[in-house]
Amino acid sequence: MSQRFYAKYIIETPFDVQKAAQDMAGEQSTAPSSYIKAETAALQREFGAHVESVDVIEEVKTPTLPIPKDSNGPFVRAEVRLSWPIENIGSLPMLYTTLLGNQTGMRTLSGIRLQELQLPQSFMENCPRPAFGIRGTRRLSGVHDRPLIGTIIKPNIGLTPSQTASAAQALIDGGVDFIKDDELMSNPPYSPVQERVKHVMDVINKAADRDGKKVMYAFNITDDVDAMLRHHDVIAKAGGTCVMVNLNSIGLAGLATLRRHSVLPIHGHRAGWAMLTRCPMLGMDFQPYQLMQRLAGVDHLHVSGLGGKFWEEKSNILLSAHDCLTPMKLPSSDYEDDRAMPVFSGGSTVLEAEPTFSGMKTVDLIYTSGSGIFGHPQGLTSGCTSLRQAWEAAVAGVP
Amino acid sequence: MSQRFYAKYIIETPFDVQKAAQDMAGEQSTAPSSYIKAETAALQREFGAHVESVDVIEEVKTPTLPIPKDSNGPFVRAEVRLSWPIENIGSLPMLYTTLLGNQTGMRTLSGIRLQELQLPQSFMENCPRPAFGIRGTRRLSGVHDRPLIGTIIKPNIGLTPSQTASAAQALIDGGVDFIKDDELMSNPPYSPVQERVKHVMDVINKAADRDGKKVMYAFNITDDVDAMLRHHDVIAKAGGTCVMVNLNSIGLAGLATLRRHSVLPIHGHRAGWAMLTRCPMLGMDFQPYQLMQRLAGVDHLHVSGLGGKFWEEKSNILLSAHDCLTPMKLPSSDYEDDRAMPVFSGGSTVLEAEPTFSGMKTVDLIYTSGSGIFGHPQGLTSGCTSLRQAWEAAVAGVP
């Protein structure tokens, strides 16, 4: 008997919910219609998705998503749990197709959203998974018992490699643990990765020799796969300790390939995540997203910040960060740590240190503030200092 | 003066629309806030995104997407055109981050959707682009002056390599031009690509020797990048003439990398596309999507079928197919053809041949019917014959 994987969806339909759930199961496993002759009962038994449960939640009068005009409603919302034999899929990209493929466009559904994913150990053990996680990140950065405090180079784009290095120098002098490129800065003609790495690592390596502490710099190498691997090698050779990618731009296949090649922690930016999650009856929740990204090998994962230039509720941001910190609990793992370090970023300033700590009850996180440092009225160093002090106060319980 | 790229969005906001558009431009270029000191006027001039135009469309009372509670409305919808210097980006994945990144989650917006993308030649010329397109596909399949008529192996999953080959044999005998794996079938333990290719190509090669016509089989190789390249080589070596990938599962970086390696046409399945497009005020239209996928190298691109098990309006499906057929018009191209062949699939049967032809006014397309062949009451051969005849009648104008 095969092990199975489980997914929970919320769906909305003007038709019979049991039938809609069965259609989802058919579409995403053996066949979309029962009149396929070669779909024998034995084949269906072995490879078919099962409807594990259907629980009606509520009825609404108007459909959330456009649906053909022959459907008048009412529209029933229900929680649907499906399961599949793990043998149906051979890789993470195929898991993604199975969970979020054609069924998202079925005309019988006016809403479909993946909420939860549960995978058997046998599958997870064969995925790349984080090579460093929290433990490896702390080891490389030399920061223990507190968050990694850092920033994003600002302005987002437009700085030359030597201007970026000057900013990095000021930040190191100001006492940050972590610096990252903006997600919009990767390998433009005016700041090729190779040049930026040379200038920035020169500053970082010198400071490391002087201070005994190497600041972690996440170089954004989002690109075609060949270029990402090439740039990774440049960074590793220069003594860098982190690479960064925009997850939704490179895809699970790109990430998994980078991970199998990489000797550095992978910092995962989720730019564009809102597009996958912001419509409440479409896309997916963060739990399945972060699980797939971690299985593909991400070590740090952005969860937004409580200060919020983004749409998300604070409670949801904290929940996302807790998801990243939930271990996979795989036995006999030869990996250092399979948790991803949540990255609080995007509108975070000194004001959010206390609520972030009180919501997380842990310091296992990366806390970055772009505007809070580069926009600080007294300059970069004051920005860095105030951020560090805010976190010291938060952890010490000083208001 | 740098060349620029242009994007049109529809946005929805309870705030001043001009300000919202400016914020989008800032967030996605030099800086999210004007108080970043290093963001000089010169830097902004060189790298900043411009708001080209803002045209208010209408006001609505309730927000389409969730937005923080301090925004009471009314919510103004407007068409916003932005432009960026092409020097800001170095690759397709970075173009994606710029077009559909953090701005999709801005708390000031209750709707944001990318509708149109326009790129300068200088950028497009350096992208992989289709290596075969329509002309190359016709050359390899030997099918001219009519659509490639084909099918998807059904049941979707569960068949062994030899069962798949038997189905292929029956389809070839029935006269199809094109066969593809289902998007859910890639490299599962019970049907490894290597084995499936061996069995299927044995049948196809023998028939080609006998009939002088090699049926094009799109083997689904969706997987991690290394595995995709490896499986591509197996297929090419066995005499196969097409590889297939699930675009949303492998990402633009995965596709571009496959394209640079591939010696075969790439058949692009868009499973999960609904998730990116189905909410009218989120995600994107098909025009920018197909352009980015074609630039990354896709030769065939799914557009759904008029018979419709999916949600989309027929007029929209036809528009998508026309998008695929719009040439990039690059000068001095050494590529065979930069149009992607639109694939009508998903609920297509004999009944949709006539409306498809009358909507397209061209036969430059792939027409696949899964249920229409595997579900045909008189069996596979009758299914194939009826589909071919339906298209002959449609093109001849016979009702």
Side-chain angles (χ1 to χ4, degrees):
Chain A
M1 187 64 185
S2 162
Q3 283 192 293
R4 301 183 77 81
F5 63 101
Y6 295 83
K8 191 179 93 180
Y9 296 85
I10 182 167
I11 67 167
E12 185 185 285
T13 179
F15 304 107
D16 178 69
V17 284
Q18 284 288 348
K19 171 76 167 54
Q22 282 298 346
D23 286 351
M24 282 171 68
E27 178 72 31
Q28 292 310 103
S29 63
T30 50
S33 13
S34 53
Y35 54 84
I36 303 289
K37 288 188 186 56
E39 194 192 357
T40 61
L43 185 140
Q44 227 175 17
R45 225 176 6 254
E46 194 167 350
F47 299 101
H50 295 169
V51 178
E52 299 282 340
S53 63
V54 176
D55 295 296
V56 171
I57 301 167
E58 60 182 333
E59 267 186 27
V60 293
K61 282 192 183 138
T62 49
T64 305
L65 300 175
I67 190 168
K69 289 186 185 63
D70 52 344
S71 326
N72 292 318
F75 299 84
V76 177
R77 290 182 182 165
E79 191 181 289
V80 169
R81 283 174 57 89
L82 302 183
S83 74
W84 290 259
I86 197 69
E87 275 76 9
N88 284 20
I89 53 171
S91 65
L92 279 168
M94 286 304 295
L95 174 68
Y96 193 87
T97 304
T98 304
L99 292 171
L100 290 162
N102 274 355
Q103 79 273 51
T104 60
M106 287 171 79
R107 62 186 287 133
T108 49
L109 301 175
S110 57
I112 172 168
R113 180 180 176 89
L114 175 64
Q115 297 184 309
E116 265 181 50
L117 170 63
Q118 202 188 322
L119 293 161
Q121 286 187 353
S122 59
F123 180 82
M124 294 199 288
E125 278 178 339
N126 286 318
C127 291
R129 291 181 284 153
F132 294 86
I134 295 167
R135 241 171 276 158
T137 298
R138 289 205 177 283
R139 181 171 50 78
L140 286 175
S141 65
V143 178
H144 302 278
D145 308 319
R146 62 176 177 83
L148 268 68
I149 292 176
T151 189
I152 307 108
I153 293 284
K154 298 284 168 194
N156 304 342
I157 56 169
L159 298 182
T160 62
S162 71
Q163 287 172 323
T164 306
S166 300
Q169 182 70 68
L171 292 166
I172 294 167
D173 295 343
V176 295
D177 307 312
F178 179 89
I179 308 172
K180 63 181 274 294
D181 285 328
D182 190 84
E183 82 277 5
L184 296 171
M185 166 60 85
S186 173
N187 189 39
Y190 63 87
S191 183
V193 172
Q194 195 134 5
E195 280 301 297
R196 194 159 76 252
V197 169
K198 189 172 159 296
H199 283 81
V200 169
M201 286 314 300
D202 193 40
V203 160
I204 288 178
N205 288 329
K206 274 188 191 138
D209 288 345
R210 183 190 65 197
D211 308 335
K213 173 185 162 176
K214 185 179 265 190
V215 167
M216 184 174 271
Y217 191 108
F219 290 97
N220 185 3
I221 57 169
T222 302
D223 212 315
D224 293 352
V225 177
D226 294 348
M228 286 198 292
L229 303 188
R230 205 165 55 239
H231 292 149
H232 162 277
D233 294 350
V234 169
I235 294 159
K237 203 174 159 199
T241 53
C242 191
V243 294
M244 163 179 165
V245 287
N246 300 336
L247 301 170
N248 301 311
S249 299
I250 65 161
L252 284 169
L255 175 60
T257 306
L258 173 62
R259 163 62 182 88
R260 292 195 199 274
H261 175 92
S262 181
V263 297
L264 301 173
I266 300 172
H267 185 88
H269 197 286
R270 61 174 195 176
W273 161 243
M275 195 167 64
L276 306 176
T277 197
R278 203 173 169 187
C279 175
M281 289 300 296
L282 189 66
M284 61 179 145
D285 284 345
F286 192 68
Q287 189 274 340
Y289 180 81
Q290 60 86 32
L291 182 54
M292 287 188 276
Q293 299 293 347
R294 279 164 68 194
L295 287 170
V298 86
D299 294 285
H300 310 156
L301 187 47
H302 278 241
V303 297
S304 195
L306 297 190
K309 59 182 175 184
F310 299 118
W311 70 284
E312 230 178 324
E313 301 271 355
K314 289 177 188 180
S315 56
N316 211 39
I317 294 169
L318 292 169
L319 192 64
S320 298
H322 282 294
D323 281 337
C324 295
L325 293 170
T326 306
M328 295 182 197
K329 290 186 189 148
L330 299 178
S332 69
S333 168
D334 53 349
Y335 292 92
E336 199 161 3
D337 189 358
D338 62 19
R339 298 168 300 166
M341 207 153 184
V343 184
F344 286 81
S345 184
S348 295
T349 68
V350 290
L351 298 175
E352 286 74 34
E354 193 282 321
T356 303
F357 181 65
S358 97
M360 293 306 298
K361 312 273 187 247
T362 176
V363 291
D364 282 338
L365 56 94
I366 299 176
Y367 193 81
T368 67
S369 175
S371 311
I373 288 182
F374 282 89
H376 196 280
Q378 273 86 52
L380 293 193
T381 305
S382 302
C384 296
T385 310
S386 64
L387 217 53
R388 222 171 44 241
Q389 289 171 340
W391 265 96
E392 282 164 14
V395 173
V398 179
Chain B
M1 186 67 184
S2 164
Q3 284 192 292
R4 302 184 76 82
F5 64 101
Y6 295 83
K8 192 180 92 182
Y9 296 85
I10 183 168
I11 67 166
E12 185 185 284
T13 178
F15 303 107
D16 179 68
V17 283
Q18 286 288 348
K19 170 77 167 57
Q22 283 298 345
D23 287 350
M24 281 171 67
E27 177 72 32
Q28 292 310 103
S29 63
T30 48
S33 12
S34 53
Y35 53 84
I36 302 288
K37 288 188 186 58
E39 191 191 359
T40 61
L43 185 139
Q44 226 174 18
R45 228 178 1 258
E46 193 169 349
F47 300 102
H50 295 168
V51 177
E52 299 282 339
S53 64
V54 176
D55 295 296
V56 171
I57 302 167
E58 61 182 332
E59 267 186 27
V60 293
K61 282 191 182 140
T62 50
T64 305
L65 301 175
I67 192 167
K69 287 185 188 64
D70 50 346
S71 326
N72 291 318
F75 300 85
V76 177
R77 290 180 182 168
E79 191 181 288
V80 169
R81 283 174 59 88
L82 303 183
S83 75
W84 291 259
I86 196 69
E87 276 75 11
N88 285 20
I89 52 170
S91 66
L92 279 169
M94 285 304 294
L95 173 67
Y96 193 88
T97 303
T98 304
L99 293 171
L100 291 162
N102 274 355
Q103 79 271 53
T104 61
M106 287 172 79
R107 62 187 284 134
T108 50
L109 301 176
S110 57
I112 173 168
R113 180 179 177 90
L114 175 64
Q115 296 184 309
E116 266 180 51
L117 171 62
Q118 202 188 321
L119 293 161
Q121 286 186 355
S122 59
F123 180 82
M124 293 199 289
E125 280 178 339
N126 286 317
C127 291
R129 292 180 283 153
F132 293 86
I134 294 166
R135 241 171 276 158
T137 298
R138 289 206 177 282
R139 181 170 53 75
L140 286 176
S141 65
V143 177
H144 303 279
D145 308 319
R146 62 177 177 82
L148 268 69
I149 292 175
T151 189
I152 307 108
I153 294 284
K154 298 284 168 194
N156 304 342
I157 56 168
L159 297 182
T160 62
S162 72
Q163 288 172 323
T164 306
S166 300
Q169 181 69 68
L171 293 165
I172 294 167
D173 296 342
V176 294
D177 307 313
F178 180 88
I179 308 172
K180 65 181 274 294
D181 286 329
D182 190 83
E183 82 275 7
L184 295 172
M185 165 62 84
S186 173
N187 190 38
Y190 64 86
S191 181
V193 172
Q194 194 134 5
E195 280 300 297
R196 195 160 75 252
V197 169
K198 189 172 161 295
H199 282 81
V200 169
M201 286 315 299
D202 194 40
V203 160
I204 288 179
N205 287 330
K206 274 188 192 142
D209 288 344
R210 184 190 64 195
D211 308 336
K213 173 185 161 175
K214 185 180 265 189
V215 168
M216 184 174 269
Y217 191 108
F219 290 97
N220 185 2
I221 58 169
T222 304
D223 212 315
D224 292 353
V225 177
D226 295 347
M228 286 198 291
L229 303 188
R230 205 166 56 238
H231 292 149
H232 162 276
D233 294 350
V234 169
I235 294 160
K237 203 175 159 198
T241 54
C242 192
V243 294
M244 163 180 165
V245 287
N246 300 336
L247 301 169
N248 301 312
S249 300
I250 66 161
L252 284 169
L255 175 60
T257 306
L258 173 63
R259 162 63 182 86
R260 291 194 201 274
H261 175 91
S262 181
V263 297
L264 301 174
I266 300 172
H267 184 89
H269 197 285
R270 61 174 195 176
W273 161 243
M275 195 167 65
L276 305 176
T277 198
R278 203 173 168 186
C279 175
M281 289 300 296
L282 189 66
M284 61 180 145
D285 284 346
F286 192 68
Q287 189 274 340
Y289 180 80
Q290 59 85 32
L291 182 54
M292 288 189 275
Q293 299 293 347
R294 279 164 67 194
L295 288 170
V298 86
D299 294 284
H300 310 157
L301 187 46
H302 278 243
V303 297
S304 197
L306 297 191
K309 59 182 176 185
F310 298 119
W311 69 283
E312 230 178 322
E313 301 272 354
K314 289 177 188 180
S315 56
N316 210 40
I317 293 169
L318 292 169
L319 192 65
S320 297
H322 282 294
D323 281 337
C324 295
L325 293 170
T326 306
M328 295 181 196
K329 289 186 190 149
L330 299 179
S332 70
S333 168
D334 55 347
Y335 292 92
E336 198 161 4
D337 188 359
D338 63 18
R339 299 168 299 167
M341 207 155 186
V343 183
F344 287 81
S345 183
S348 296
T349 68
V350 290
L351 298 175
E352 287 75 33
E354 194 282 321
T356 303
F357 181 65
S358 96
M360 293 305 299
K361 312 275 188 246
T362 177
V363 291
D364 281 339
L365 55 94
I366 299 176
Y367 192 82
T368 66
S369 176
S371 310
I373 288 183
F374 282 90
H376 196 282
Q378 273 86 51
L380 292 193
T381 305
S382 302
C384 296
T385 309
S386 63
L387 215 54
R388 222 170 46 241
Q389 288 170 343
W391 265 95
E392 281 163 15
V395 173
V398 179

